[in-house]
């Protein structure tokens, strides 16, 4: 057998309030896996609204990773095309959208938290 392939270190992205305030969400991802874990630290979205997670890859247009259920711990399935794209140094953001998420594929509501991921 060949040498064992070292698994890549997990990456974490603490997302802070856009005004530089406290951390609101934390994303944790094990590279190569098909789910990302999101912890809600502090956020209020209001009735009839949903949180939506966005991946910002190297300055490209933000891409929706999905709507976040209103729970303190969420496991979100990662689409196959994202599994190889999520790397340390990518930015993540959370917006507040209409129920069900953005209908256009672009953030419509306010971005309430942003953060850059790093290997841990």
């Amino acid at each position: 057998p060949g040498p064992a392939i070292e698994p890549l270190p997990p990456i974490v992205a603490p997302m802070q309030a856009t005004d530089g305030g406290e951390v609101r969400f934390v994303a944790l991802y094990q590279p190569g896996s098909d789910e990302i874990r999101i912890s809600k630290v502090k956020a209020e979205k209001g009735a009839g609204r949903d949180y939506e997670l966005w991946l910002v890859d190297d300055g490209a247009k933000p891409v929706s990773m999905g709507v976040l259920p209103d729970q303190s711990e969420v496991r979100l399935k990662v689409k196959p095309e994202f599994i190889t794209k999520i790397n340390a140094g990518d930015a993540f953001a959370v917006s507040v959208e209409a129920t069900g998420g953005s209908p256009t594929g672009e953030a419509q509501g306010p971005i309430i938290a942003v953060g850059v991921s790093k290997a841990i």
Side-chain angles (χ1 to χ4, degrees):
I5 296 173
E6 285 292 315
L8 292 167
I11 60 174
V12 65
M15 290 172 270
Q16 293 179 289
T18 50
D19 60 8
E22 61 208 325
V23 171
R24 296 188 175 220
F25 295 86
V26 177
L28 181 65
Y29 180 68
Q30 177 63 55
S33 76
D34 67 349
E35 67 179 22
I36 187 167
R37 293 198 321 237
I38 311 294
S39 299
K40 181 176 75 169
V41 179
K42 179 175 182 175
E44 296 296 329
K45 63 178 172 44
R49 311 290 279 170
D50 274 330
Y51 298 118
E52 192 160 353
L53 179 67
W54 303 85
L55 171 66
V56 186
D57 186 22
D58 289 335
K61 190 171 84 170
V63 181
S64 174
M65 296 198 64
V67 172
L68 301 176
D70 193 10
Q71 301 164 344
S72 57
E73 290 280 334
V74 176
R75 289 175 184 265
L76 203 59
K77 277 288 183 201
V78 175
K79 296 174 188 158
E81 63 269 25
F82 289 143
I83 290 174
T84 58
K85 288 186 176 177
I86 300 174
N87 298 295
D90 289 341
F92 287 88
V94 175
S95 65
V96 176
E97 302 293 339
T99 302
S102 169
T104 64
E106 295 182 18
Q108 301 293 301
I111 301 289
I112 60 164
V114 293
V116 175
S117 62
K118 60 182 183 277
I120 55 174

